[in-house]
Amino acid sequence: MSKSNTTNFTNPSIFILVGIPGLEAAHVWISIPFSIMYAIAILGNFSILFIVKMEQSLHKPMYYFLCMLAITDLVLSTSTLPKMLSIFWLNSREIEFSACLTQMYFLHCFLVTESGIFVAMAFDRYVAICDPLRHSIILTNSMVAKIGLGMVLRGGMLVLPFIFMARQWPYCRTNIIPHSYCEHMAVVKLACTEIHVSNYYSLSVVFCSLGLDQFFIAVSYTQILRAIFSLPTKDARLKTFGTCGSHLCAILAFYIPCLFSVLTYRFGKNMALHFHVLIASVYLLIPPMINPIIYGVRTKQIRDRLLRLFTHKVT
């Protein structure tokens, strides 16, 4: 370790991102699936945005929320993957202190925002199934825009204290971050001061955002299932439940990897560091890659528009 990395300093000008600790020799090979997943995420989410914009029949609340989800996924993946790939390919490990905090802010802000968008989509399905006659009255375009703005503001306000605390703390141990991106806990562990406040606030944010979001989603789907099972025929029940299938798959693709990463980080103390970092890196790519595939395959309107688009090009 170089002397510049161990000398006492406060708010260092740069941090050094290790990448995947212990797997540096395999960085080039690791970059191959990462770059493929990133390419799929970019292509898929831009395709969703393009299709919804061009198809007039998709100008509905459900697809507006889907566009918000696509934008959030693009920000999530782009805030981390380009720098991660530069580490893997070019060994470009340095990141400025302010850039590290910016990456941390966008990453955690849009994770919270994406969770909120899933709640909004669950509310949309609840109104569409349980109170269909008032769906267009309740979820107007202005209301959808306000909900989207509210989710972004919520994420931004909840995550902002992380940045203020991380910026004020002195860093006198090392500026080497054993991670592939500026994850909050990986950064604050380098501070030479008590970080209990940050730990408690981090847990409260997880509870107040992801925890409550999952609770509201569960409540919405409890009411949705009650309404579905009250339908008279099996075909009607299956058809109605089918409108929720894409949303449920996207929720599982987001919360299961996120929950697994949090649990391994909090309780998997005996697990190798490279396993923690690898899981934390992969789970940021799974939802942006999977979501457009789920909605492209399971949503008839989007699937038909894609088929028409490619058929027209071939013709």
Side-chain angles (χ1 to χ4, degrees), residues 232-252:
T233 65
K234 181 180 179 180
D235 288 342
R237 290 194 290 269
L238 290 175
K239 184 178 180 180
T240 305
F241 186 74
T243 63
C244 305
S246 300
H247 183 231
L248 285 172
C249 292
I251 288 173
L252 294 176

Side-chain angles (χ1 to χ4, degrees), residues 92-279:
S92 176
R93 302 185 179 191
E94 294 186 355
I95 183 170
E96 293 185 0
F97 181 71
S98 58
C100 184
L101 295 184
T102 302
Q103 185 187 64
M104 184 196 305
Y105 178 76
F106 275 95
L107 169 64
H108 293 285
C109 170
F110 280 88
L111 276 174
V112 176
T113 299
E114 180 151 343
S115 180
I117 291 172
F118 282 126
V119 176
M121 296 175 83
F123 177 67
D124 169 70
R125 291 297 85 206
Y126 164 76
V127 177
I129 293 173
C130 298
D131 198 0
L133 297 179
R134 299 184 59 206
H135 184 264
S136 59
I137 299 173
I138 296 173
L139 286 170
T140 60
N141 288 345
S142 61
M143 178 57 69
V144 170
K146 289 176 183 176
I147 291 173
L149 180 60
M151 294 301 102
V152 175
L153 290 176
R154 184 190 72 152
M157 296 301 292
L158 284 176
V159 174
L160 204 55
F162 287 152
I163 309 304
F164 284 141
M165 286 187 284
R167 189 171 186 82
Q168 295 301 317
W169 284 334
Y171 297 87
C172 58
R173 293 172 181 168
T174 179
N175 63 343
I176 297 178
I177 302 174
H179 214 291
S180 56
Y181 57 87
C182 290
E183 197 271 337
H184 172 250
M185 289 307 300
V187 173
V188 299
K189 280 184 176 181
L190 305 183
C192 53
T193 185
E194 291 293 336
I195 61 171
H196 295 310
V197 174
S198 179
N199 288 334
Y200 294 144
Y201 183 73
S202 176
L203 289 173
S204 66
V205 168
V206 169
F207 174 76
C208 294
S209 57
L210 302 185
L212 287 179
D213 288 350
Q214 291 177 63
F215 171 75
F216 288 133
I217 290 171
V219 170
S220 297
Y221 271 96
T222 300
Q223 299 301 317
I224 288 170
L225 290 174
R226 288 179 60 186
I228 288 175
F229 285 124
S230 66
L231 294 174
T233 65
K234 181 180 179 180
D235 288 342
R237 290 194 290 269
L238 290 175
K239 184 178 180 180
T240 305
F241 186 74
T243 63
C244 305
S246 300
H247 183 231
L248 285 172
C249 292
I251 288 173
L252 294 176
F254 176 78
Y255 284 112
I256 289 178
C258 183
L259 181 63
F260 183 72
S261 178
V262 170
L263 290 177
T264 55
Y265 194 88
R266 294 286 179 183
F267 304 108
K269 303 299 182 182
N270 296 325
M271 292 183 182
L273 180 59
H274 67 263
F275 182 78
H276 284 285
V277 177
L278 195 59
I279 292 298

Side-chain angles (χ1 to χ4, degrees), residues 1-14:
M1 188 180 297
S2 65
K3 184 179 178 180
S4 63
N5 291 335
T6 57
T7 305
N8 288 352
F9 45 78
T10 301
N11 287 1
S13 58
I14 62 169

